[in-house]
Amino acid sequence: MHIREASIEEAVTVLAAISEFARPATEDEIKQRLRGHRALILVAEQDGELVGVKIGYQLSEECFYSWLGGVAPAGRRGGVAQALLEAQEEWVVAQGYQELRVKSRNRFPAMLRLLLRNGYQIEHLEKKDGIEDYRLHFIKQLNDNNSQ
């Protein structure tokens, strides 16, 4: 598996392969979300196929937001999500950010487990429609004591 920086077009290709997203983000939506922000788009490649994506952007001088990501069925159960998370964290730390924030939903239990396993803490619960759509807001402090 290879993790690398990628284009918005490549990110859209991966997002389209993830059936859990009712309506994957479009190229224009991603461009609009990232406009004016320092951003990072990572993809995971396995056997020449794009199987994972992680998109984030700067919220402030101290904080980076991991906005959108996922793993296509072809890349699941192989550590792709963990590798993307680690690559993003390494880049964020190297850029000098102090904290990483991310949101997820109850409907994505694998993501919730991944975040908890990697030292992210629940900061806030945002109630939406049904309980499966409740948003959990996570934060991870990125200093030498707990960044890995």
Side-chain angles (χ1 to χ4, degrees), residues 14-25 53 68-71 76 108:
V14 180
L15 292 169
I18 301 171
S19 61
E20 287 83 356
F21 293 139
R23 191 185 63 75
V53 64
L68 182 60
V71 178
R76 294 192 183 156
F108 303 124

Side-chain angles (χ1 to χ4, degrees), residues 92-132:
V92 167
V93 167
Q95 303 308 306
Y97 294 100
Q98 307 297 308
E99 62 185 35
L100 227 165
R101 292 179 178 269
V102 63
K103 283 188 255 182
S104 193
R105 301 178 191 198
N106 276 332
R107 73 170 60 241
F108 303 124
M111 183 64 180
L112 301 177
R113 288 190 299 271
L114 177 73
L115 292 169
L116 290 169
R117 198 170 50 242
N118 282 278
Y120 288 76
Q121 296 181 312
I122 299 169
E123 180 182 44
H124 176 70
L125 172 69
E126 181 184 350
K127 293 184 177 183
K128 292 280 187 180
D129 308 323
I131 194 168
E132 69 279 355

Side-chain angles (χ1 to χ4, degrees), residues 38-140:
R38 185 172 184 200
L40 175 67
I41 301 173
L42 295 172
V43 291
E45 283 182 309
Q46 209 165 38
D47 301 324
E49 183 180 353
L50 295 175
V51 295
V53 64
K54 197 156 193 66
I55 305 170
Y57 57 87
Q58 176 178 321
L59 286 178
S60 70
E61 291 297 317
E62 298 82 31
C63 183
F64 195 82
Y65 179 56
S66 182
W67 170 51
L68 182 60
V71 178
R76 294 192 183 156
R77 301 259 181 245
V80 173
Q82 180 69 40
L84 285 164
L85 181 144
E86 289 173 5
Q88 183 184 60
E89 282 187 9
E90 287 171 17
W91 184 89
V92 167
V93 167
Q95 303 308 306
Y97 294 100
Q98 307 297 308
E99 62 185 35
L100 227 165
R101 292 179 178 269
V102 63
K103 283 188 255 182
S104 193
R105 301 178 191 198
N106 276 332
R107 73 170 60 241
F108 303 124
M111 183 64 180
L112 301 177
R113 288 190 299 271
L114 177 73
L115 292 169
L116 290 169
R117 198 170 50 242
N118 282 278
Y120 288 76
Q121 296 181 312
I122 299 169
E123 180 182 44
H124 176 70
L125 172 69
E126 181 184 350
K127 293 184 177 183
K128 292 280 187 180
D129 308 323
I131 194 168
E132 69 279 355
D133 284 318
Y134 283 18
R135 269 79 160 174
L136 287 95
H137 296 239
F138 290 85
I139 186 169
K140 182 172 183 178

